Amino acid sequence: MKSLEIVGFKRANLGKKEAKRLRNESYVPCVMYGGEEQVHFYVPAILFRELLYTPEVHIVDLNIEGDLYRAIVQDSQFHPVNEMLLHVDFLQLQEGKEVKMDVPVKFVGTSPGVQQGGKLVTKLRKLKVKATAENLPDYVEVNISDLGLGKSIKVSKVETANYQILTNPLAPIATVTIPRGLRGQLQAEK
């Protein structure tokens, strides 16, 4: 899994006024859970561009005034109108402890249904995965080489290695839909 370094500064004062002042100065208030104690800190907003505005997942190497932590992004909050980043929660990674994380789906193979004129429709872009930090995958591979016209692949059909998928096993990941023009041709052939 890719890692990304973020440098932060500890927060002395907590509360609304201080958080608002930090946001006005282009900083993002953050909290890290999962260790012996919660760590409150702030980070320049520009450092989150490669972390949050991408479909990829990263392990974050946090450097908070010289203290180093390994963590993942647990949650991020955005302003409802101007979509400014308001707050980020991190979860500290510990050896041997399992974490839950949304991991992107990567399609492998060529679907015969698409070659016949169907359209591949993605229903789930990410799957919730539970694994230890060293076994977290960059993406979940989904083989679509058996996907015919009008068929779908479900979460239960995905092969896993060293991690567990928590998403509903009956949920479809992708479907090959039949276009209207092709549907007419298929009915005429019958």
Side-chain angles (χ1 to χ4, degrees):
M1 179 168 279
K2 297 177 184 174
S3 64
L4 188 72
E5 186 176 9
I6 288 187
V7 179
F9 310 96
K10 286 189 176 163
R11 288 172 61 186
N13 304 327
L14 304 175
K16 280 186 186 177
K17 282 185 181 177
E18 181 67 14
K20 191 171 185 178
R21 185 187 66 76
L22 286 172
R23 288 185 192 111
N24 287 338
E25 294 175 8
S26 297
Y27 290 107
V28 178
C30 304
V31 179
M32 185 178 62
Y33 306 100
E36 290 92 47
E37 57 188 56
Q38 294 180 7
V39 180
H40 296 271
F41 60 101
Y42 62 94
V43 175
I46 195 82
L47 295 180
F48 286 105
R49 182 178 293 155
E50 294 154 25
L51 180 65
L52 296 178
Y53 301 103
T54 174
E56 299 169 344
V57 290
H58 294 85
I59 289 180
V60 182
D61 294 320
L62 287 172
N63 181 349
I64 304 168
E65 295 181 359
D67 296 334
L68 298 172
Y69 304 97
R70 285 180 63 78
I72 58 170
V73 174
Q74 187 72 25
D75 189 29
S76 54
Q77 298 170 1
F78 293 89
H79 191 279
V81 177
N82 62 17
E83 295 194 7
M84 188 177 93
L85 184 59
L86 296 178
H87 182 83
V88 178
D89 288 336
F90 290 94
L91 180 66
Q92 186 175 351
L93 296 176
Q94 295 173 338
E95 281 297 319
K97 190 174 179 186
E98 291 187 324
V99 291
K100 297 174 187 172
M101 190 172 194
D102 287 334
V103 176
V105 170
K106 180 180 180 185
F107 295 114
V108 177
T110 307
S111 165
V114 173
Q115 290 177 332
Q116 294 169 351
K119 183 180 178 201
L120 183 70
V121 178
T122 305
K123 302 283 187 180
L124 292 175
R125 295 191 185 283
K126 292 189 174 190
L127 297 177
K128 188 171 270 311
V129 167
K130 180 179 179 182
T132 56
E134 52 275 356
N135 290 333
L136 273 172
D138 281 331
Y139 48 81
V140 176
E141 280 192 0
V142 176
N143 190 351
I144 57 169
S145 53
D146 298 334
L147 213 54
L149 281 171
K151 302 292 182 199
S152 63
I153 187 160
K154 298 196 172 17
V155 173
S156 58
K157 296 280 189 264
V158 176
E159 296 175 14
T160 62
N162 299 331
Y163 59 89
Q164 178 183 355
I165 297 178
L166 300 177
T167 308
N168 182 354
L170 298 176
I173 298 173
T175 305
V176 175
T177 58
I178 306 170
R180 203 176 334 166
L182 193 60
R183 194 175 297 140
Q185 287 176 355
L186 291 174
Q187 287 176 345
E189 290 174 7
K190 287 183 181 177

